[in-house]
């Protein structure tokens, strides 16, 4: 009997201690200290990777850096007529997904004499990655999630190896993620209440996203459909809010209109022109360049080989034909 009593008492103590420990852990993860440690952990990992990993080790880094250099050679124009000897770029003159490279070319033009210029672009992506974490936190707050779920979500993202790696690499993927998260956050606010400034900012992000990466196109279409279904019956109210917004002569209004104008011009110059001339918003290499020029790119040669030898393509593993 005493053994049973002692066993029951010990079990209760263990359960109480486990419950106490879990409560302490829950409070710690829900705290602002844990969130700051998470942010710090991400920055330390990403900055060390950005500084110490070898150039071109991350996937497609040579392509992205070459595209930045190409725009720098044509600085400050976003229009390229001849991509020269940049063979790592399959087709760079009519590619609609160029915004990341074009913006980065402004920085490269200023520092291209510095041999470690690629480190700066990596650190710029680290800043974008950090911005993604802040937006995830903001989205969680907008959805009114409890602090435990919010902080744990940010922690899981910043400890996802691929997210940290692309944040420390030269790639447009992190800009795509940043624009997508920010667009979703603004969509949440617009779904609650229509706001002319947020609507204009969302338009800027949608245009920028469509000029960044092809994966953004379906996401942009979904956002437009959601807002259309939600507010199609309130078009007059939205128009009145637009008018009242522009009657207020703030610097923000002028800047946002300038951005929309510039991005719209770039969007039309790529998408509309490509569709009219090439019947494709993203024309293939051989539609724009000669087949001999396209074959200077190893990826094109490999794709051509696979297309002509589908059964023997699996044998081509170590090098291009």
């Amino acid at each position: 009997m005493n053994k049973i009593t002692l066993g029951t008492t010990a079990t209760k103590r263990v359960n109480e201690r486990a419950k106490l420990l879990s409560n302490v852990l829950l409070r710690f993860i829900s705290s602002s200290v844990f969130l700051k440690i998470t942010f710090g952990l991400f920055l330390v990992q990403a900055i060390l990777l950005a500084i110490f990993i070898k150039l071109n080790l991350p996937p497609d880094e040579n392509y992205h850096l070459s595209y930045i250099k190409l725009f720098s050679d044509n600085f400050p124009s976003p229009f390229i007529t001849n991509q020269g000897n940049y063979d790592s770029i399959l087709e760079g003159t009519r590619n609609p997904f160029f915004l990341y490279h074009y913006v980065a070319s402004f920085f490269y033009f200023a520092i291209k004499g510095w041999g470690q210029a690629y480190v700066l672009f990596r650190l710029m992506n680290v800043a974008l990655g950090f911005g993604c974490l802040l937006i995830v936190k903001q989205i969680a707050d907008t959805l009114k999630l409890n602090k435990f779920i919010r902080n744990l979500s940010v922690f899981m993202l910043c400890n996802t190896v691929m997210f940290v790696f692309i944040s420390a690499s030269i790639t447009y993927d992190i800009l795509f993620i940043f624009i997508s998260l920010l667009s979703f956050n603004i969509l949440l606010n617009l779904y609650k209440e229509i706001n002319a400034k947020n609507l204009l900012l969302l338009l800027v992000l949608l245009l920028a996203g469509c000029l960044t990466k092809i994966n953004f196109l379906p996401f942009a279409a979904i956002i437009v459909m959601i807002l259309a279904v939600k507010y199609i019956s309130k078009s007059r109210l939205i128009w009145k809010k637009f008018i009242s917004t522009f009657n207020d002569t703030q610097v923000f209004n002028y800047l946002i209109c300038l951005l929309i104008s510039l991005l719209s011009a770039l969007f039309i110059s790529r998408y509309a022109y490509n569709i009219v001339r090439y019947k494709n918003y993203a024309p293939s290499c051989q539609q724009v360049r000669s087949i001999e020029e396209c074959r200077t790119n190893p990826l094109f040669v490999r794709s051509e080989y696979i297309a002509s030898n589908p059964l023997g393509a699996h044998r081509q593993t170590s090098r291009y034909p």
Side-chain angles (χ1 to χ4, degrees):
M1 192 71 178
N2 290 335
K3 290 182 178 180
I4 295 174
T5 304
L6 290 173
T8 303
T9 304
T11 302
K12 287 182 179 179
R13 288 178 179 176
V14 170
N15 290 338
E16 287 174 357
R17 289 177 181 176
K19 186 177 180 180
L20 179 63
L21 181 62
S22 63
N23 288 335
V24 170
L25 186 62
L26 181 64
R27 285 195 300 271
F28 174 67
I29 295 176
S30 303
S31 67
S32 60
V33 174
F34 179 82
L35 195 61
K36 291 176 182 177
I37 292 173
T38 300
F39 288 148
L41 180 64
F42 167 79
L43 288 173
V44 169
Q45 292 179 91
I47 290 173
L48 288 176
L49 284 173
I51 295 173
F52 293 110
I53 57 176
K54 293 182 179 180
L55 180 63
N56 299 329
L57 179 62
D60 301 324
E61 191 169 61
N62 182 45
Y63 163 79
H64 293 295
L65 187 57
S66 296
Y67 208 1
I68 292 169
K69 291 178 180 179
L70 176 58
F71 275 110
S72 178
D73 290 346
N74 290 267
F75 183 84
S77 173
F79 306 108
I80 300 169
T81 55
N82 184 6
Q83 68 182 67
N85 296 321
Y86 287 96
D87 297 333
S88 60
I89 307 169
L90 185 58
E91 200 298 296
T93 59
R94 299 307 314 164
N95 180 12
F97 312 111
F98 69 99
L99 188 64
Y100 169 80
H101 312 93
Y102 177 61
V103 173
S105 70
F106 283 77
F107 297 95
Y108 186 81
F109 183 80
I111 62 165
K112 59 184 177 181
W114 181 38
Q116 304 296 317
Y118 68 92
V119 175
L120 175 64
F121 296 117
R122 287 177 173 178
L123 292 176
M124 287 167 56
N125 275 11
V126 171
L128 285 174
F130 183 69
C132 291
L133 296 179
L134 294 176
I135 296 170
V136 169
K137 173 185 175 297
Q138 183 60 44
I139 289 172
D141 290 338
T142 302
L143 293 173
K144 297 181 179 179
L145 301 178
N146 65 60
K147 293 181 178 180
F148 175 80
I149 295 176
R150 181 197 69 186
N151 292 1
L152 193 61
S153 299
V154 174
F155 178 80
M156 291 174 66
L157 179 59
C158 92
N159 282 280
T160 303
V161 176
M162 184 55 70
F163 177 76
V164 178
F165 194 68
I166 64 174
S167 296
S169 309
I170 302 174
T171 175
Y172 58 9
D173 290 308
I174 197 65
L175 179 61
F176 158 69
I177 296 171
F178 179 84
I179 293 174
S180 299
L181 287 172
L182 190 55
S183 298
F184 182 68
N185 186 46
I186 293 175
L187 175 65
L188 292 176
N189 291 315
L190 285 172
Y191 198 81
K192 291 180 180 179
E193 182 183 3
I194 194 68
N195 179 285
K197 289 184 178 181
N198 279 343
L199 201 57
L200 288 171
L201 185 56
L202 181 62
L203 179 57
V204 169
L205 292 172
L206 292 180
L207 288 169
C210 290
L211 293 169
T212 299
K213 192 175 182 181
I214 190 173
N215 304 63
F216 190 82
L217 297 180
F219 183 69
I222 291 171
I223 288 178
V224 171
M225 286 190 290
I226 290 173
L227 291 177
V229 170
K230 175 73 173 177
Y231 290 113
I232 194 168
S233 60
K234 300 178 181 179
S235 55
R236 290 185 179 180
L237 174 62
I238 295 172
W239 180 250
K240 288 180 180 178
K241 288 196 174 187
F242 266 116
I243 298 300
S244 62
T245 298
F246 284 103
N247 286 336
D248 183 13
T249 56
Q250 293 184 0
V251 176
F252 174 84
N253 296 338
Y254 296 117
L255 290 176
I256 207 77
C257 287
L258 179 61
L259 277 175
I260 291 173
S261 300
L262 291 173
L263 290 171
S264 297
L266 293 174
F267 183 90
I268 293 170
S269 71
R270 286 298 200 273
Y271 282 87
Y273 182 88
N274 287 351
I275 291 172
V276 170
R277 180 167 181 177
Y278 303 107
K279 308 297 188 255
N280 191 339
Y281 68 90
S284 60
C285 180
Q286 57 268 41
Q287 285 182 284
V288 182
R289 309 174 70 195
S290 67
I291 191 68
E292 290 77 15
E293 289 177 318
C294 292
R295 282 174 177 162
T296 60
N297 183 281
L299 292 178
F300 180 85
V301 175
R302 183 176 185 272
S303 299
E304 194 177 38
Y305 175 79
I306 291 173
S308 59
N309 300 275
L311 295 179
H314 67 281
R315 299 171 188 169
Q316 192 67 29
T317 56
S318 61
R319 57 188 178 89
Y320 297 123

